[in-house]
Amino acid sequence: MKIISRNLFLFCLTLFNFQNNYTQSAGNADPDFLKWKSYFNQLYGADYNLMNGLRYINIYPSAEGHPFLDEDRFYQGNVVINKQLYRDVEIKYDICNQEIILQYQYFSGGTDKIILVKEFIDEFVMNGRLFRKYTFPENVPGFYQVISKGNIYCLNYWK
């Protein structure tokens, strides 16, 4: 019995040493792993904070007119989501539903559209106009255009 216990102990000790010699410590990342991670981020985008929302589908394609501010097209703009600024994104503003539609490119070159989660959006700039989310006791939270000159501010609500 002593011989079996001693051999089992030696086997476990050898296995433990083998594992320590051939496993990677948490602080040292494999350069190949970092290279592939960088490649993946270039293809798919590294930030899911921006790419968070529902896929946009026009459910009224035959309706006359459109619900968007200005023209029914995407504008280069900026959006602040969870206090993080994203520059030069393609957005349009649905004033009827108070939603921001983001157009983005797939890694393969195609495009798609998502409705950004409005609870996460702090502000956005589109077509040279600044919009911020405000909550007033009389209304549900909404995006208001901020018009300012010096220390004077005016809020404009589009609907």
Side-chain angles (χ1 to χ4, degrees):
M1 185 71 176
K2 279 186 171 184
I3 295 174
I4 294 174
S5 297
R6 187 181 70 161
N7 287 342
L8 185 60
F9 175 75
L10 289 174
F11 177 74
C12 289
L13 185 63
T14 305
L15 186 63
F16 179 73
N17 284 334
F18 178 78
Q19 181 183 6
N20 282 342
N21 288 335
Y22 291 100
T23 57
Q24 195 175 47
S25 67
N28 297 331
D30 182 16
D32 289 333
F33 171 77
L34 293 176
K35 181 177 124 187
W36 280 108
K37 182 177 183 227
S38 173
Y39 178 71
F40 179 83
N41 287 343
Q42 286 176 351
L43 290 180
Y44 297 103
D47 200 334
Y48 292 101
N49 191 37
L50 175 64
M51 304 303 292
N52 189 358
L54 298 173
R55 185 168 188 220
Y56 173 75
I57 299 171
N58 184 1
I59 57 175
Y60 304 109
S62 61
E64 191 175 316
H66 61 82
F68 303 106
L69 182 64
D70 296 334
E71 299 175 29
D72 183 8
R73 69 178 187 88
F74 288 90
Y75 294 89
Q76 287 287 96
N78 302 333
V79 63
V80 177
I81 300 175
N82 292 327
K83 299 182 180 28
Q84 185 171 352
L85 174 64
Y86 297 93
R87 296 180 185 276
D88 301 323
V89 294
E90 294 184 27
I91 56 175
K92 60 182 174 178
Y93 176 34
D94 179 343
I95 58 176
C96 292
N97 298 310
Q98 290 285 298
E99 295 175 334
I100 311 303
I101 314 298
L102 172 75
Q103 179 172 267
Y104 64 95
Q105 282 195 333
Y106 286 122
F107 64 94
S108 61
T111 60
D112 206 356
K113 301 166 195 74
I114 59 172
I115 302 168
L116 296 176
V117 180
K118 59 181 142 187
E119 288 79 17
F120 298 159
I121 300 172
D122 301 314
E123 66 181 47
F124 65 95
V125 175
M126 187 188 86
N127 202 16
R129 299 177 185 151
L130 170 64
F131 293 85
R132 287 194 179 127
K133 185 170 48 179
Y134 288 101
T135 304
F136 296 107
E138 313 80 54
N139 297 332
V140 296
F143 296 107
Y144 291 80
Q145 180 183 356
V146 179
I147 304 168
S148 65
K149 179 138 181 140
N151 292 334
I152 300 173
Y153 291 89
C154 179
L155 300 179
N156 188 22
Y157 185 78
W158 291 86
K159 68 177 192 173

